[in-house]
């Protein structure tokens, strides 16, 4: 089975994927597979990122043997892939996410775009829309350490995702941050 590990940029996908790989799980990056198999539609100049052809990536992934193993596909588009059976969405409190993206020296405009996306739960909504709520879990990477997240995912995978209802979406809500002054730009109709 293929499991998507997704989340807003800065939510911790790559760091967690590396920790999971050290625990013996098979991990692949959606972008790396897409590049290797020419599943790239072009470059998003504004965001300085590749536009991945997700249909092409699904075709590549459909030849993966689903019985023998579990493969975790990491990337912020992994939730829209139809070949994935379950989706793990990493969430991150906007205060923590802002700090993490600032540490990556991201420009303010790009940080705000991603904070808005995280507050609105865009990736989680996409995951639920494509796969249904019963196939999706969400984990808070601003509350849980990489070690804790690794332990949870290793346990879930080893148990064929049977305990996933423990992490059902619906417990994480960042909308109350909109009442704070530092997020007023999100509700200001003049935008940034
Ligand atoms: N659970 C966590 N606890 C503390 N720090 C974390 C946690 N998860 C990630 N981080 C830190 O957050 C930063 C961003 O993590 P990472 O680069 O893995 O995010 P990402 O989701 O892969 O981002 P991108 O989509 O831009 O590749 C890193 O400095 C990492 O050490
Ligand atoms: Mg990453």
């Amino acid at each position: 089975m293929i499991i998507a590990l997704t989340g807003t940029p800065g939510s911790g996908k790559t760091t967690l994927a590396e920790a999971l790989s050290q625990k013996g799980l098979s991990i692949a990056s959606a972008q790396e597979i897409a590049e290797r198999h020419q599943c790239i539609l072009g470059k998003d100049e504004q965001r300085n990122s590749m536009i991945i052809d997700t249909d092409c990536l699904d075709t590549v992934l459909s030849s993966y043997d689903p019985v023998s193993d579990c493969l975790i596909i990491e990337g912020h588009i992994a939730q829209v892939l139809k070949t994935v059976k379950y989706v793990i969405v990493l969430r991150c409190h906007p205060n923590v996410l802002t700090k993490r993206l600032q540490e990556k020296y991201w420009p303010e405009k790009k940080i705000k775009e991603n904070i808005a996306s995280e507050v609105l739960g865009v990736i989680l909504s996409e995951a639920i829309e494509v796969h249904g709520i019963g196939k999706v879990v969400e984990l808070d990477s601003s509350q849980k350490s990489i070690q804790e997240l690794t332990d949870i995912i290793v346990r879930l995978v080893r148990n064929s995702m049977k305990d996933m209802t423990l992490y059902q979406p619906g417990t994480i809500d960042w909308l109350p941050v909109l009442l704070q002054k530092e997020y007023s730009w999100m509700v200001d109709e003049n935008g940034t």
Side-chain angles (χ1 to χ4, degrees):
M1 81 181 151
I2 302 176
I3 299 174
L5 174 61
T6 185
T8 306
S11 57
K13 302 177 293 292
T14 305
T15 312
L16 182 56
E18 278 163 15
L20 290 168
S21 163
Q22 281 172 16
K23 290 279 175 188
L25 297 189
S26 302
I27 306 286
S29 143
Q31 172 145 341
E32 275 172 31
I33 301 179
E35 281 175 16
R36 205 175 330 129
H37 293 270
Q38 284 90 42
C39 296
I40 301 290
L41 292 172
K43 192 174 175 192
D44 183 337
E45 295 293 345
Q46 265 191 334
R47 295 194 175 86
N48 193 30
S49 63
M50 296 297 172
I51 304 166
I52 294 175
D53 180 343
T54 54
D55 288 337
C56 171
L57 195 50
D58 264 329
T59 306
V60 170
L61 290 172
S62 62
S63 62
Y64 177 79
D65 178 1
V67 183
S68 67
D69 206 357
C70 164
L71 176 69
I72 297 183
I73 299 283
E74 177 247 319
H76 66 272
I77 55 97
Q79 71 282 359
V80 304
L81 296 170
K82 301 205 171 62
T83 41
V84 311
K85 192 163 181 197
Y86 299 105
V87 184
I88 298 167
V89 183
L90 288 183
R91 305 300 307 276
C92 187
H93 190 284
N95 291 351
V96 177
L97 193 59
T98 303
K99 256 181 90 184
R100 288 186 191 171
L101 295 177
Q102 282 169 344
E103 278 164 10
K104 285 184 186 234
Y105 299 104
W106 278 29
E108 195 187 341
K109 188 166 176 257
K110 216 174 144 191
I111 293 179
K112 283 184 167 173
E113 197 176 285
N114 283 284
I115 294 297
S117 173
E118 177 60 21
V119 169
L120 296 173
V122 170
I123 287 186
L124 178 70
S125 304
E126 282 177 357
I128 293 171
E129 195 181 315
V130 176
H131 300 280
I133 196 162
K135 303 285 184 195
V136 179
V137 299
E138 64 175 348
L139 297 169
D140 185 351
S141 91
S142 45
Q143 283 283 334
K144 289 182 165 61
S145 66
I146 289 292
Q147 180 68 56
E148 287 174 297
L149 294 167
T150 304
D151 290 347
I152 289 171
I153 295 175
V154 167
R155 231 180 297 129
L156 281 173
V157 169
R158 294 218 169 117
N159 201 9
S160 307
M161 302 298 279
K162 285 195 182 75
D163 297 329
M164 62 185 289
T165 47
L166 292 173
Y167 309 100
Q168 218 172 27
T171 54
I172 298 169
D173 179 14
W174 308 135
L175 286 174
V177 303
L178 296 179
L179 300 171
Q180 295 173 26
K181 211 168 65 215
E182 59 265 47
Y183 295 98
S184 59
W185 54 269
M186 261 190 79
V187 278
D188 178 358
E189 61 182 317
N190 294 319
T192 53

